[in-house]
């Protein structure tokens, strides 16, 4: 990649970091993407796909093959902690703590590279997806007819990965990221005076026991060789220090690599709710929310991605899956494809994903853009398997 384009991509990425769009509110980011695509010379652009999604098409006659390249656009409801960062978020309480600013910019860079290269023929779909962070953006795009309106033989995506050497690409044999569901334990008690607990039904006491019991679901119910995670992340309840509350809500996330384990975890949460209800005289319910399937690579697409990665940078094939989730999996349930990791460098000093000190490594942009462009070229040159 020439230095001028690399500098341009860095500028765009830092603009997106300074102006993050929260999940389901990606309108400003989508508008920025459309403006940059038009500057690059892209003319086929469709907005509003599955929400704020944008799909742009590059086409050259000579082949009926097609390929999709995807980037996610949304940011997280996290207050950025890096006070001295020149491109720090200007949107209070919202930041790109997962690197979607880099993902979006790298796909713009791939568009620039493909537009300059006349060696390929066929159709490239540039899919800028909204609402990846729990907003169901991929599923919304599928429901909005993504693959019917914009046919593609295969689709590819990537995620930056702190802790993996910057620019190194990891390609997994099958599972890349876990399936998961969000959940709530809703505990309804009977409020009253803190000095008269016998006249109440204390949901906070019940919640404390539920928290401990939830940690036994994986430790004492799953086969030790199976993989599962239950994390309780939010507790809401209580209004006054001298009142026993009426209601407590515990929110959390479960992750798993097989549906059998997922159902064991869901059953465990229901048993915990039933148990605290019976023990403490409260009404408790496990509310299981939506989730994502396992992100698993298709064999033929996986090998194509590995070949493209090896042509661009250092390739790793020895890294296991992570228990993080990725709704790119909804795309992979419809068309073949692959999802890879590209190293973001050391995970130190708060550079982990979803950390308030996180920042995307701009040095990775040329590698990511080149990987996406090379993957598209190779996909268009090969019949789908």
């Amino acid at each position: 990649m020439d230095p001028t384009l690399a500098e341009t991509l860095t500028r765009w990425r830092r603009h997106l970091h300074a102006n993050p769009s929260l999940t389901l509110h990606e309108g400003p980011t989508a508008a920025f993407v459309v403006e940059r695509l038009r500057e690059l010379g892209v003319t086929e652009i469709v907005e509003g796909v599955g929400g704020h999604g944008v799909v742009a098409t590059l086409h050259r006659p000579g082949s009926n093959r097609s390929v999709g390249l995807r980037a996610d656009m949304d940011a997280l409801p996290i207050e950025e902690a890096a006070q001295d960062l020149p491109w720090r978020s200007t949107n209070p309480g919202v930041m790109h703590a997962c690197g979607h600013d880099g993902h979006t910019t790298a796909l713009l860079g791939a568009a620039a590279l493909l537009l300059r290269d006349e060696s390929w023929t066929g159709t490239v779909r540039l899919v800028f997806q909204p609402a990846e962070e729990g907003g169901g953006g991929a599923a919304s795009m599928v429901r909005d007819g993504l693959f019917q309106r914009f046919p593609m033989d295969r689709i590819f995506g990537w995620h930056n990965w702190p802790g993996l050497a910057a620019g190194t690409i990891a390609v997994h044999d099958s599972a890349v990221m876990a399936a998961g569901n969000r959940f709530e334990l809703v505990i309804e008690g009977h409020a009253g005076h803190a000095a008269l607990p016998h006249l109440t039904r204390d949901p906070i006491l019940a919640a404390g026991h539920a928290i401990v019991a939830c940690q036994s679901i994986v430790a004492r119910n799953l086969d030790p060789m199976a993989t599962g995670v239950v994390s309780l992340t939010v507790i809401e309840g209580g209004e006054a220090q001298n009142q026993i509350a009426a209601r407590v809500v515990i929110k959390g996330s479960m992750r798993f690599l097989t549906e059998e384990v997922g159902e064991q975890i869901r059953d465990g949460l229901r048993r915990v709710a039933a148990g605290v209800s019976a023990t403490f005289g409260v009404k408790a319910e496990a509310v299981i929310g939506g989730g994502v399937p396992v992100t698993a690579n298709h064999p033929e697409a996986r090998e194509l991605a590995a070949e493209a990665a090896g042509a661009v940078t250092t390739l790793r094939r020895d890294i296991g899956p992570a228990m993080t989730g990725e709704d790119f999996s909804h795309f992979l349930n419809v068309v073949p494809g692959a999802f890879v990791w590209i190293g973001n460098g050391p995970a130190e000093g708060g550079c982990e994903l979803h950390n308030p000190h996180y920042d995307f490594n701009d040095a990775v942009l040329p590698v990511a853009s080149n990987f996406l462009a090379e993957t598209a070229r190779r996909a268009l040159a090969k019949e789908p398997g």
Side-chain angles (χ1 to χ4, degrees), residues 13 16 18 31 45 52 59 67 96 99 110 139 144 149 153 155 183 203 251 339 354 357 382-383:
R13 203 285 302 179
L16 289 174
I45 304 171
H52 293 292
H59 177 74
V67 62
H96 274 294
D144 200 15
R149 297 165 63 186
D153 300 324
I155 190 166
F183 65 85
K251 299 180 182 181
F339 192 79
H354 292 210
H357 291 276
K382 184 178 181 181
E383 283 290 347

Side-chain angles (χ1 to χ4, degrees), residues 14 46 89 92 96 128 132 159 164 202 230 237 256 303 309 313 331 343 345 364 367 384:
R14 293 178 180 180
V46 179
S89 172
H96 274 294
F128 294 88
E132 192 280 329
H159 204 291
L164 181 63
D202 188 351
V230 174
F256 44 90
E303 295 308 313
T313 186
F331 296 153
V364 173
V367 173

Side-chain angles (χ1 to χ4, degrees), residues 305-329:
E307 291 168 6
V312 169
T313 186
T314 302
L315 171 65
R316 293 277 301 272
R317 301 293 301 267
D318 59 339
I319 297 177
M323 297 306 288
T324 49
E326 170 56 67
D327 77 351
F328 186 80
S329 54

